[in-house]
Amino acid sequence: MPVNDTRLLRLCTLLLTIIASIDSTAHACTTAVISGKATVDGRPLLWKNRDAPARHNEVALLTEGPLRAVAVVNAGSRKSAWMGMNEAGFCIENSLSTDLRQPGKKTGPANGLLIKRALLTCHTVADFKRLLEETNQTGRRTVANFGVIDAQGGAALFETGPTSFTMFDANDPAVAPDGYIVRSNFATTARDFPANPTPEQLGTIYSAERYSQACSRLDIQKSKGISVEYVIRHLTRDLSQATGTPHPGTVNNAAKPLPATIATKNTISRTTTVSAAVFQGVKPGEDPRLATMWTILGDPSFSLAVPSWVDVQTIADPLAGENGAELGEIAITLRDWNKTGDGNSINTECLPGIWSDLWPVEDKILTLTSKFQMARNEHGYSVGAITRFHQKMAALAMTAMQQELREMKQAAVTLPAPAPPAFAPVKKTIVIP
């Protein structure tokens, strides 16, 4: 019997809606481009929390292009990059924005391929703009908001579809009055929003809560100046209610008892977060190789930030691995042990202990790295010295994560065993011949 055309159309529409929902939920990144005008030291910052179905990530050196780069990639893959920086001091990341899709089949580089191409070829924000202009003509498979900073003070966001893009300059007071631009999983140009929409303007669109929370966290700090330490601790790990108010006991609220569980559907740090990166650029005139990529493998609420530089000879073992970097795999395990049965929330009983163990180690890494960078800027260091320091910081993080894993295992072992199941008595007589 032929299918009714109206029913078929409704079914196709429903399927497309479901597919779009799954795609956007799986790729629920939150990002910000922060001009040097808004930071404590005049150096631009770039941030991304990556939510993706590829749970296993690693840090990799990309050496096959004109420019050497370091990036976060899916474990075991070098085909695409998802956030990174190169030897020119150019840094890039993205967030998926499906509302930039256009009808019809598309060819050309997709989001991750374009990021890798930019890392290997672009020196500046202007270079990336020219790359987009060129690929406007040949076509792309991109539907993303790309955030970029460079060593000349450039800081911009590009809402980018398959054949067009719109640039938002974080240094332009008319576009970014506070010196920063935040995005989650929507494009303002696709929805006729202003460059920095308010929560009221966003309404109930997908990812509005995460966008508003990130804006709120930056707004609180803007009068003091935004630092790399602040972004690492207070943005990557934000756990807020859907209303935008951080949950009690989390990094952005008072030290009070946590709720028993925290649903992560609308939080920035989520049960689907696979990695995060904060890029600290350089001021104009500084050596672009001083730019730092702070990488957090796994959900930031269960992991630690480690610095990397383009000059390192090899990536430290805890950050690399074709099946997933060890540090990230521990973070995945810690989170999985603390997830609720449905996987959508976090049981918070162990969080205070985890944070009290990990955050002091991260503070030490941040302090040591700040001193190292100051000395490096003043005296210069060999690539060997830079590599050894990178490995030392990764080892500090790994030791702390391994200890946390051991403690969690021990806690699990000491839990009382569940009572044996009770079976009803068997009444049927079984005759054995």
Side-chain angles (χ1 to χ4, degrees):
M1 184 175 67
V3 179
N4 180 277
D5 288 346
T6 301
R7 288 179 60 198
L8 181 60
L9 180 61
R10 288 175 179 171
L11 177 60
C12 289
T13 301
L14 177 61
L15 288 173
L16 287 172
T17 301
I18 293 171
I19 291 170
S21 173
I22 292 172
D23 187 50
S24 59
T25 301
H27 298 267
C29 305
T30 314
T31 72
V33 181
I34 306 168
S35 162
K37 293 162 44 176
T39 64
V40 292
D41 58 9
R43 296 180 176 91
L45 297 170
L46 187 64
W47 158 60
K48 171 181 174 176
N49 263 38
R50 184 187 183 208
D51 287 65
R55 298 208 315 163
H56 310 288
N57 289 196
E58 64 171 321
V59 177
L61 287 172
L62 306 177
T63 58
E64 66 268 39
L67 294 170
R68 181 182 175 90
V70 61
V72 176
V73 300
N74 293 339
S77 173
R78 302 294 185 272
K79 183 179 179 181
S80 298
W82 301 104
M83 40 197 167
M85 67 180 187
N86 65 26
E87 61 186 294
F90 174 85
C91 309
I92 182 170
E93 49 77 17
N94 80 302
S95 66
L96 185 74
S97 182
T98 57
D99 49 11
L100 290 165
R101 283 177 175 155
Q102 296 175 357
K105 186 177 181 179
K106 299 294 180 294
T107 59
N111 296 341
L113 288 169
L114 188 71
I115 288 177
K116 182 177 179 181
R117 181 170 169 184
L119 285 170
L120 297 178
T121 61
C122 292
H123 291 75
T124 63
V125 172
D127 286 346
F128 183 68
K129 182 180 179 182
R130 282 191 288 272
L131 175 60
L132 292 182
E133 289 169 343
E134 292 169 6
T135 51
N136 272 352
Q137 307 305 313
T138 57
R140 298 178 296 265
R141 289 177 291 144
T142 52
V143 282
N145 304 312
F146 292 98
V148 293
I149 60 175
D150 65 30
Q152 298 180 10
L157 181 131
F158 295 82
E159 294 185 354
T160 308
T163 59
S164 64
F165 68 89
T166 302
M167 175 180 173
F168 298 84
D169 188 349
N171 286 304
D172 183 350
V175 174
D178 295 315
Y180 48 81
I181 300 170
V182 176
R183 286 293 183 272
S184 49
N185 303 110
F186 65 88
T188 60
T189 50
R191 298 176 178 270
D192 198 27
F193 290 152
N196 301 286
T198 64
E200 292 73 25
Q201 289 169 322
L202 290 180
T204 59
I205 68 166
Y206 174 71
S207 79
E209 295 89 352
R210 284 183 285 111
Y211 166 86
S212 299
Q213 289 156 14
C215 288
S216 176
R217 303 297 91 82
L218 290 171
D219 290 347
I220 290 170
Q221 191 68 13
K222 65 184 179 183
S223 62
K224 301 176 184 177
I226 300 164
S227 66
V228 66
E229 294 87 354
Y230 181 84
V231 177
I232 288 172
R233 186 65 52 84
H234 295 275
L235 269 79
T236 70
R237 296 172 174 123
D238 186 70
L239 292 166
S240 291
Q241 302 170 58
T243 58
T245 304
H247 284 284
T250 60
V251 290
N252 289 311
N253 206 335
K256 297 180 180 179
L258 287 160
T261 61
I262 293 178
T264 66
K265 178 182 178 181
N266 299 312
T267 57
I268 293 175
S269 177
R270 297 153 57 89
T271 55
T272 54
T273 304
V274 298
S275 57
V278 181
F279 300 88
Q280 185 175 28
V282 296
K283 293 186 286 189
E286 288 184 331
D287 184 347
R289 291 174 180 266
L290 288 166
T292 306
M293 181 174 82
W294 289 91
T295 307
I296 307 175
L297 295 174
D299 182 345
S301 291
F302 297 89
S303 191
L304 288 169
V306 179
S308 300
W309 294 275
V310 174
D311 274 349
V312 298
Q313 295 163 314
T314 58
I315 298 300
D317 284 346
L319 304 181
E322 62 179 16
N323 296 315
E326 290 179 273
L327 195 147
E329 296 307 295
I330 292 176
I332 290 172
T333 300
L334 292 176
R335 179 179 63 188
D336 286 352
W337 283 354
N338 288 278
K339 282 198 292 191
T340 56
D342 61 9
N344 297 321
S345 301
I346 294 294
N347 291 312
T348 66
E349 181 180 359
C350 295
L351 285 182
I354 291 172
W355 294 341
S356 65
D357 291 340
L358 296 185
W359 295 174
V361 177
E362 186 173 81
D363 289 340
K364 181 178 180 179
I365 293 172
L366 284 159
T367 299
L368 289 172
T369 302
S370 177
K371 293 178 179 178
F372 177 78
Q373 287 288 86
M374 287 170 51
R376 185 180 165 200
N377 190 26
E378 184 176 352
H379 306 295
Y381 282 133
S382 68
V383 294
I386 296 167
T387 301
R388 288 190 294 273
F389 184 84
H390 162 68
Q391 292 172 338
K392 180 180 178 182
M393 295 303 99
L396 280 174
M398 188 62 179
T399 298
M401 292 290 287
Q402 288 173 324
Q403 178 62 28
E404 203 60 38
L405 183 63
R406 284 191 290 267
E407 291 179 6
M408 287 291 294
K409 284 183 177 178
Q410 185 60 36
V413 169
T414 58
L415 288 174
F423 297 103
V426 178
K427 298 180 180 180
K428 183 178 179 181
T429 300
I430 301 174
V431 177
I432 301 175

